[in-house]
């Protein structure tokens, strides 16, 4: 998109990555009008956005992306120029117990947005864009070597990744069938402030802090490629403004960690920041039954994004984890709020009474 006075819907803007993206766009582009469309599920939290909530170029709309009439109305009321679509059910473990919700939000919700965009932009596609934010999990699982490129065939294994893969296919189908202007990106694991403590890093920081067991799935040898969330937001910004219409870009940290090594790093940093004796939380490591369909390894080849658009991650991992641990330890009230109520029920079901 060339820079102009755009009105952009960011879906899922009250979630983890969405809130970082909303903050970035609201602050960096005062001429843009940012509409955060979010239904505020358990993962959506307006407390993630208190610092930009009263900005004149920011508007919050509470609404479900599966509600087609509502999505049509948002396009019409705000005369929407572009969409950056992040709203999704995002946790693999929840998709194993509740696959229907994942199909509904991730597939049908994406379809509602695509169709509303197609209708509203009909015949005026040039200066519009539908940006679909997706995941590396659509590519499946790697053995010890190799990387996911943009041409790796899709091979999803969890209901979450199957639903994201399906949504990616719908986006490309709207590009090919209706000439909808789209761009897609598939990113590796994000970490940083405001991530819901069901995901590995915030869950484990919180458990280390409270001396609770650290549930390592299987043998802890699974590998993930970690990227600081603000580097993902920066990549989305770059692709939104400079990415080639119709293309896909992989985003990754070139930063692979075996889960067990990452967990030891979290223990070391969290204990140190809490002023505890080194290694005193090592005993909390507790190997539990493996996740069903657990992908062994994800690793992104982000060379297309680097060479075509000049992107590179700015945050080194050790520094990013230090910063992240400090944030969770300093933001006790945020953590207390999101771990009360329904979270306790989820935790009991998932990990038992530990
Ligand atoms: P998240 O779970 O933290 O946030 C999801 C947001 O979407 C929440 O604010 C929630 O309220 C909202 N939402 C859910 N269902 C909705 C609905 N039906 N209507 C409107 N809003 C709804 O997710 P996240 O980790 O920030 O991920 C954001 C996007 O990025 C997702 O599409 C995810 O697949 C993708 N992604 C995430 C990662 C990661 O590591 N977290 C990596 C790559 C891609
Ligand atoms: O790769 C991108 C994906 O990364 C995103 O699309 C997803 O939305 C996001 O949730 C994330 O998926 P993962 O399944 O990789 O993330 P999670 O934090 O759930 O798990 C990371 C690894 O840690 C994985 O191998 C499973 C393991 N794990 C996780 C939890 C929650 C454990 O060993 N114990 C746990 O309690």
């Amino acid at each position: 998109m060339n820079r102009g006075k755009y009105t952009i819907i960011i879906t899922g803007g009250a979630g983890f990555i969405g809130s970082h993206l909303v903050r970035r766009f609201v602050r960096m582009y005062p001429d843009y009008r940012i509409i955060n469309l979010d239904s505020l599920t358990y993962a959506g939290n307006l407390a993630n956005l208190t610092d930009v909530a009263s900005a004149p170029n920011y508007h919050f709309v509470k609404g479900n992306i599966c509600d087609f009439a509502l999505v049509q109305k948002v396009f019409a009321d705000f005369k929407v120029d572009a969409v950056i679509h992040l709203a999704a059910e995002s946790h693999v473990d929840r998709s194993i117990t509740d696959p229907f919700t994942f199909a509904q939000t991730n597939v049908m919700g994406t379809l509602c947005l695509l169709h509303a965009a197609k209708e509203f932009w009909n015949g005026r596609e040039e200066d519009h864009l539908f940006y679909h934010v997706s995941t590396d999990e659509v590519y499946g699982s790697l053995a010890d070597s190799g990387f996911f490129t943009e041409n790796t065939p899709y091979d999803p294994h969890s209901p979450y990744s199957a639903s994201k893969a399906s949504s990616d296919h719908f986006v490309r189908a709207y590009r090919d069938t209706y000439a909808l202007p789209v761009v897609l990106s598939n990113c590796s694991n994000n970490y940083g402030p405001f991530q819901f403590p069901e995901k590995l890093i915030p869950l484990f920081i919180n458990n280390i802090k409270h001396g609770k067991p650290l549930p390592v799935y299987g043998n802890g040898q699974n590998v993930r490629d970690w990227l600081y969330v603000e580097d993902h937001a920066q990549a989305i910004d770059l692709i939104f403004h400079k990415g080639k219409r119709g293309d896909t870009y992989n985003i990754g940290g070139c930063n692979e960690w075996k889960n067990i090594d990452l967990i030891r790093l979290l223990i070391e940093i969290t204990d140190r920041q809490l002023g505890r004796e080194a290694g005193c939380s090592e005993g909390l490591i507790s190997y539990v039954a493996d996740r069903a369909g657990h992908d062994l390894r994800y690793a992104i080849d982000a060379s297309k994004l680097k060479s075509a658009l000049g992107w590179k991650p700015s945050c080194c991992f050790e520094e990013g984890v230090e910063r992240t641990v400090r944030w969770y330890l300093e933001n006790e009230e945020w953590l207390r709020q999101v771990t009360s109520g329904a979270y306790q029920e989820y935790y009991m079901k998932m990990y038992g009474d530990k």
Side-chain angles (χ1 to χ4, degrees):
M1 301 275 288
N2 297 318
R3 295 277 304 281
K5 286 185 183 290
Y6 292 119
T7 296
I8 305 169
I9 298 179
I10 296 184
T11 69
F16 166 48
I17 302 168
S19 62
H20 287 272
L21 189 71
V22 165
R23 180 174 300 103
R24 180 182 179 94
F25 269 60
V26 166
R27 286 192 178 151
M28 287 188 61
Y29 306 111
D31 282 352
Y32 294 2
R33 190 159 58 141
I34 303 301
I35 316 297
N36 172 11
L37 173 60
D38 196 302
S39 63
L40 301 182
T41 66
Y42 77 92
N45 185 355
L46 290 178
N48 298 356
L49 288 165
T50 43
D51 51 341
V52 291
S54 57
N57 62 338
Y58 171 75
H59 300 261
F60 173 65
V61 177
K62 184 173 188 303
N64 192 324
I65 56 166
C66 302
D67 181 344
F68 185 58
L70 174 130
V71 174
Q72 281 179 308
K73 187 168 163 18
V74 174
F75 269 83
D77 286 355
F78 290 96
K79 298 193 173 42
V80 171
D81 297 303
V83 176
I84 309 181
H85 175 36
L86 294 96
E89 290 293 337
S90 68
H91 191 40
V92 174
D93 292 329
R94 289 186 193 252
S95 82
I96 295 168
T97 48
D98 182 16
F100 286 89
T101 305
F102 281 69
Q104 181 64 19
T105 293
N106 299 357
V107 185
M108 293 308 293
T110 302
L111 187 52
C112 280
L113 287 161
L114 286 166
H115 206 72
K118 167 193 160 328
E119 277 186 356
F120 191 70
W121 298 336
N122 185 21
R124 305 176 287 121
E125 279 84 11
E126 315 76 60
D127 225 12
H128 297 108
L129 186 63
F130 190 103
Y131 185 148
H132 181 60
V133 175
S134 193
T135 171
D136 61 357
E137 299 201 11
V138 298
Y139 298 124
S141 182
L142 293 163
D144 288 343
S145 62
F147 297 90
F148 297 133
T149 74
E150 287 81 359
N151 297 318
T152 301
Y154 277 27
D155 183 22
H157 298 134
S158 72
Y160 163 68
S161 52
S163 67
K164 291 295 290 187
S166 172
S167 68
D168 293 10
H169 291 319
F170 269 105
V171 174
R172 295 192 181 104
Y174 268 66
R175 173 196 65 191
D176 297 342
T177 308
Y178 307 112
L180 193 77
V182 305
V183 73
L184 299 89
S185 58
N186 295 78
C187 188
S188 64
N189 287 61
N190 285 214
Y191 71 98
F194 299 115
Q195 187 169 32
F196 194 78
E198 62 188 352
K199 310 280 165 58
L200 180 78
I201 290 185
L203 176 77
F204 277 42
I205 295 170
N206 196 33
N207 282 15
I208 295 166
K209 179 179 158 192
H210 291 104
K212 290 173 76 172
L214 305 174
V216 182
Y217 297 162
N219 59 11
Q221 297 299 303
N222 303 68
V223 174
R224 297 293 182 264
D225 172 0
W226 294 94
L227 179 70
Y228 194 62
V229 61
E230 287 179 8
D231 281 326
H232 187 189
Q234 197 234 334
I236 294 173
D237 183 339
L238 196 60
I239 295 165
F240 178 79
H241 288 104
K242 303 223 168 100
K244 188 165 165 239
R245 294 280 171 93
D247 263 18
T248 296
Y249 296 86
N250 278 357
I251 311 171
C254 203
N255 176 43
E256 293 180 49
W257 284 77
K258 278 189 182 157
N259 288 345
I260 192 64
D261 296 335
L262 170 57
I263 288 160
R264 294 217 157 92
L265 179 71
L266 288 173
I267 290 172
E268 190 271 306
I269 294 176
T270 309
D271 279 343
R272 173 163 43 71
Q273 289 196 13
L274 285 168
R276 294 175 179 164
E277 199 182 314
C280 75
S281 299
E282 287 273 338
L284 297 174
I285 291 176
S286 153
Y287 289 92
V288 299
D290 208 355
R291 173 186 276 175
H294 197 175
D295 289 330
L296 176 65
R297 175 172 166 260
Y298 303 145
I300 279 277
D301 174 352
S303 55
K304 175 177 173 183
L305 180 60
K306 290 180 180 167
S307 61
L309 303 184
W311 176 81
K312 63 171 181 345
S314 65
C315 182
C316 96
F317 187 62
E318 280 76 3
E319 171 50 31
V321 179
E322 284 280 352
R323 215 188 284 172
T324 301
V325 171
R326 196 170 311 118
W327 189 88
Y328 285 97
L329 296 182
E330 282 174 358
N331 287 272
E332 269 190 4
E333 183 52 22
W334 183 92
L335 208 47
R336 199 190 55 71
Q337 272 184 14
V338 300
T339 54
S340 62
Y343 180 84
Q344 295 300 333
E345 228 172 90
Y346 165 79
Y347 199 93
M348 277 284 284
K349 252 196 234 154
M350 208 40 225
Y351 301 109
D353 187 17
K354 289 186 185 143

